[in-house]
Structure formats: structure tokens, C-alpha cells
Amino acid sequence: MAKSYDVVIIGAGAGGLATAASLLRRNRDLSVCVVDPAEMHYYQPGWTLVGAGVFSQQATVRRTESLIPRGVEWIKQAATGFAPDANRVTLADGSEISYQILVVAAGLKLDWAAIKGLEAALGHGGVTSNYSYQTAPYTWKLVQEMRQGRALFTQPAMPIKCAGAPQKALYLSCDAWARAGVLRNIEVEFMLNTPALFGVAYYVPSLMQYIERYGVKLNFLTNLTEIDGAARKAVFVQKTADGTETTIERNYDFIHVCPPQSAPDVVKQSSLANAAGWLEVDEATLQHKRYANVFGVGDVAGTSNAKTAAAVRKQAPVAAENILGQLAGGGPRFAYDGYGSCPLTVERGKIVLAEFGYGGKILPTFPVDGRVPRRLAWWLKTLVMPELYWNWMLKGREPLARPHIPVAAKS
Ligand code: FAD
């Protein structure tokens, strides 16, 4: 017979662990299990800083085992199927578990294979990415070694996690080259699939100042399709305003790739998905639109917020409250406002701190203008945020994240 839990959580990443901890802080008697095969848990926001030589690679990883909240059972397997009509999850070994409430927090899929030649080329010959624990240190190695030539940075179609991360790599690399006195010898291009530098127009003028300062050529509506590692050549499809597509090629000495991203296959292929493959949840309550006992937290959710750990910090307490409301028979209690944050590291020591909610509404935590590059925000990112992540968010401590918007007020 399938073992049964009050709450089954898929994923022991930022969203899964924060939700488990927030739930148990509210009710220690719940039986909760977290399903995830990963031995290691990564603090992914730190990878931008690994790629800039500010953090060590080791500072961004801990054993999953050490982070599972006390009282939570860890099932070290992947979920391979969902049967929400029967309240069951299938695991990789073929067994099943059942639940009263299911939380899907399985993150997203980095689709390296979608770019022809990328998997073979990544990690050597000048091809790098801060989107991988393995290759983030290689970014910094390449940046230090580069003295001249052409550097390319790519950004795929949205949504991606931390939409600012591709340009963070760009700014910090250019800053390092400027400090080393070699930026003038390097031709830098940013190839973006998007029609704008950043999704929230409010922050774009501040970012454009840095694009100009570093002499970066922007190529909008330009999508990486292939890398020929041996020839050090990248192929792109570029769209013009009238929709015409042209193939363009660039030789490179350095290329930082942000891979295309999508919902995990197990979600995409299940009846829990929306048309685009993401978990079909209500933007405010994080409750599934068709299965009232299913909730979604983090990158997997089909919500329009910025996919960030900062969003998870606000979502997890809301999900915990709404799960308890659902278990008690009253339904969701609180709404999530779409808060997400993107600390844009425009130079070493300074950050443009983008904080916004649904519809691009600016939601600053502190009463200062986030568009102004600040040293204070750099200290927040490098010192406060990791502490907040490991010791507060993953432990269910909720400073500045207490649910405060009653559901009724939202509708
Ligand atoms: P994850 O933390 O990725 O966890 C998903 C978990 O699900 C993983 O442990 C995985 O093993 C597990 N899983 C997957 N499939 C299954 C399955 N079938 N069964 C069981 N388990 C499964 N955020 C910020 O707030 N600020 C930043 O500055 C920032 N910068 C970033 C820079 C980079 C380079 C990157 C890559 C990310 C950045 N982020 C940033 C984004 C942030 O890291 C993510 O949004 C956050 O980790 C999302 O949490 P999650 O729980 O949804 O997914």
C-alpha cells in the first residue's frame, strides 16, 4: 500500500525546503515528506559571484541532508509521475506515495541540449555559463585570461530564472576587463532573444548607462541556435521588426551562454501543467486552478513573477498558510503579490536593485531608489542574502516575508 503523508513536497531546492520549514513552524504535527534525488543543494544566486571571482564555488553548495528541516522525511528519489485524481505520486523506483496536499517545487529545466553543439563545447575552448555550478568558476578563469578579441553574452527566450543573470555576467566581466585596462581591446556583444534590455522599463535607463560605459553592442531578438566549439563560432537567428528571420554567425574568443529554460518534463507531461507546460496555479494563492489540494512554489509555477529565490522567500509562507487553510477546510487565506528581486551587479561593488511584483509594480523593501547603483545593495547581495537564504528562508524564519494580503482583499 502507498505510504501516505499530510503534505508531499516535490523538490528540495529553495522552494521545497522553505515551504516545508514554513509549514512545520506553523504546525509541528503535520507529516511532511520532501522528494528529491539530489545529494547537493545549491545557492544558485551565488553563481554570478563565482563567475566574477567574488565567491568560491564551495560557498554555494551544501549537502541536502544537512538542510532537511527536523521532522521532515526525505525520500531520495525523483518523482516520475503525478496522478492528482488519485492523490498519488509515482517515484523513480516505481513505488507510489499518496497525500492530502501536494506541493510541486521542482524548479525548472535548463535545456542545454536545445542549442546544437553546446553540451560538447561547454566548459572549455572559451564556452562558459554561470547557470551551472560546474562552469561558473570557468567564467572567472576566462575573464582573467582574456586580453583581446570578441566576447559574446547570450540570453534566451523568457521565462528564465533570474532574468538579470545573463547581463550580470556581462557587467561584471566588462568591469574586470576595464580594471585590467583591456576592455578597449575587447569587442563585447550581448545577444538577447527579448526586445528590451530588461523586462521592467523603470530600470532600463540605469542599465543603459553601463551598456554605454562598457561599449557593449546590443542585438535584440537574437537567439543562439548553435555553437561550433572547434571553430569557435556561434550561430544565431535574428528577427527583424517585420518578423523576417536571418541567420548570423560570430566567431568568439569568449562566450557566456544562458541556456533555454522550460518546465521540468515530469510536470510538462502531467495533467497539472498549463498549455506552456508550467504548473497551472493561481497567481495570488499559488493553489492549482483545477486541483484544490495541489500548490506550486518557485520556478515551476506558471505565474508571471520573476523566477527568483527572492520570489520563493515571499511565496513559501503564503503557500504554507494556504495549505493549512485548505487542510482546515476553509481554503486559501493569503495572497502573493508577485514580488521578485533581481540585484543587477552593474560593477564590482555596486548594484541596481530591481524589486517588483505582478505587472511590473515597483516594490522596494527599503525607501531608496533601486535604480541608483549602490554599494549598500552590493553588501546586501554578498553578505546579507546568503545568510538570509541559508539561515532564515530555508529554516522557515520569515523576516520581511510574513503573509499580509488577505485573499478576499485581492479578488
Ligand atoms: P531549485 O532551487 O532549482 O530547486 C529545484 C529542486 O527540484 C532541485 O533540488 C531538483 O533536484 C528538484 N527536482 C527537479 N525535478 C525533480 C523531480 N522530478 N523529483 C524530485 N525533485 C526534483 N534568485 C534571486 O533571488 N536572486 C538572484 O540574484 C539570483 N541569481 C541567480 C543567478 C543564477 C546564475 C541562477 C541559475 C539563478 C539565480 N536566481 C536568483 C534564481 C534562483 O536560484 C531560483 O529562482 C531558485 O533557486 C528557485 O527555487 P526552486 O525551488 O523553484 O528551484
Side-chain angles (χ1 to χ4, degrees):
M1 213 177 78
K3 191 167 176 189
S4 188
Y5 300 84
D6 293 330
V7 183
V8 166
I9 301 177
I10 309 302
L17 291 183
T19 306
S22 282
L23 272 172
L24 286 186
R25 279 213 173 242
R26 287 169 170 78
N27 182 350
R28 286 225 72 85
D29 297 332
L30 290 173
S31 65
V32 179
C33 83
V34 173
V35 178
D36 196 322
E39 288 278 356
M40 298 299 178
H41 174 110
Y42 299 99
Y43 176 59
Q44 301 166 41
W47 293 347
T48 295
L49 297 169
V50 174
V54 180
F55 278 7
S56 72
Q57 190 189 32
Q58 295 72 27
T60 65
V61 62
R62 293 194 186 172
R63 299 197 75 79
T64 303
E65 190 177 18
S66 70
L67 300 170
I68 302 285
R70 200 146 29 99
V72 171
E73 184 179 331
W74 177 23
I75 299 180
K76 215 166 133 188
Q77 290 197 58
T80 54
F82 297 105
D85 292 309
N87 299 325
R88 278 170 189 251
V89 175
T90 309
L91 305 177
D93 68 0
S95 65
E96 290 188 325
I97 51 175
S98 68
Y99 56 81
Q100 285 199 64
I101 299 283
L102 173 68
V103 180
V104 183
L108 55 67
K109 174 179 166 183
L110 296 175
D111 202 355
W112 305 98
I115 310 287
K116 190 176 168 200
L118 176 58
E119 285 179 305
L122 189 64
H124 52 93
V127 184
T128 191
S129 180
N130 288 347
Y131 274 77
S132 152
Y133 173 77
Q134 274 74 28
T135 53
Y138 185 52
T139 304
W140 182 232
K141 182 173 184 287
L142 290 173
V143 167
Q144 287 174 293
E145 287 169 2
M146 186 144 179
R147 290 286 169 269
Q148 59 184 26
R150 182 184 283 145
L152 304 177
F153 294 81
T154 76
Q155 179 175 296
M158 296 291 151
I160 61 171
K161 55 180 155 186
C162 194
Q167 62 190 288
K168 292 182 201 177
L170 165 79
Y171 300 133
L172 289 172
S173 303
C174 287
D175 179 67
W177 291 325
R179 284 169 199 260
V182 297
L183 182 61
R184 63 178 173 277
N185 305 329
I186 300 174
E187 190 190 338
V188 185
E189 292 196 53
F190 189 19
M191 329 296 265
L192 314 80
N193 191 298
T194 45
L197 181 56
F198 194 68
V200 182
Y202 182 74
Y203 297 102
V204 170
S206 308
L207 302 173
M208 275 309 294
Q209 284 183 7
Y210 280 90
I211 293 291
E212 279 155 25
R213 182 205 280 193
Y214 297 134
V216 177
K217 177 167 188 250
L218 295 178
N219 300 277
F220 294 113
L221 303 175
T222 305
N223 195 33
L224 177 67
T225 54
E226 184 179 345
I227 290 206
D228 180 342
R232 289 191 174 231
K233 189 180 75 182
V235 183
F236 301 85
V237 170
Q238 191 168 53
K239 268 197 197 132
T240 49
D242 65 5
T244 323
E245 292 190 346
T246 346
T247 300
I248 59 168
E249 293 183 357
R250 288 280 192 285
N251 286 102
Y252 60 80
D253 299 284
F254 168 110
I255 182 165
H256 178 276
V257 178
C258 173
Q261 299 170 34
S262 64
D265 292 338
V266 67
V267 173
K268 221 183 287 177
Q269 288 153 10
S270 78
S271 57
L272 297 174
N274 64 17
W278 303 97
L279 197 78
E280 189 171 19
V281 294
D282 179 84
E283 295 229 313
T285 63
L286 305 174
Q287 184 179 39
H288 199 277
K289 288 185 179 171
R290 289 172 282 114
Y291 297 97
N293 66 338
V294 177
F295 290 78
V297 176
D299 295 346
V300 74
T303 48
S304 60
N305 59 276
K307 294 191 182 298
T308 57
V312 167
R313 187 164 61 81
K314 300 273 187 170
Q315 289 177 349
V318 168
E321 283 287 348
N322 292 348
I323 287 165
L324 294 175
Q326 188 65 27
L327 282 170
R333 298 167 176 167
F334 288 97
Y336 162 61
D337 60 5
Y339 176 89
S341 130
C342 191
L344 291 142
T345 48
V346 285
E347 59 181 289
R348 193 179 175 113
K350 284 198 184 164
I351 277 177
V352 167
L353 184 56
E355 292 180 286
F356 51 90
Y358 288 137
K361 186 176 177 199
I362 308 305
L363 295 173
T365 304
F366 305 106
V368 290
D369 187 344
R371 291 171 297 181
V372 178
R374 284 179 206 280
R375 211 162 280 286
L376 179 68
W378 179 267
W379 296 122
L380 273 177
K381 166 92 183 152
T382 53
L383 297 174
V384 179
M385 292 304 186
E387 169 72 16
L388 196 70
Y389 183 87
W390 295 116
N391 296 326
W392 293 78
M393 189 175 120
L394 295 193
K395 297 203 157 74
R397 299 189 183 119
E398 300 165 5
L400 304 170
R402 287 230 147 244
H404 62 282
I405 309 170
V407 160
K410 193 78 184 169
S411 55

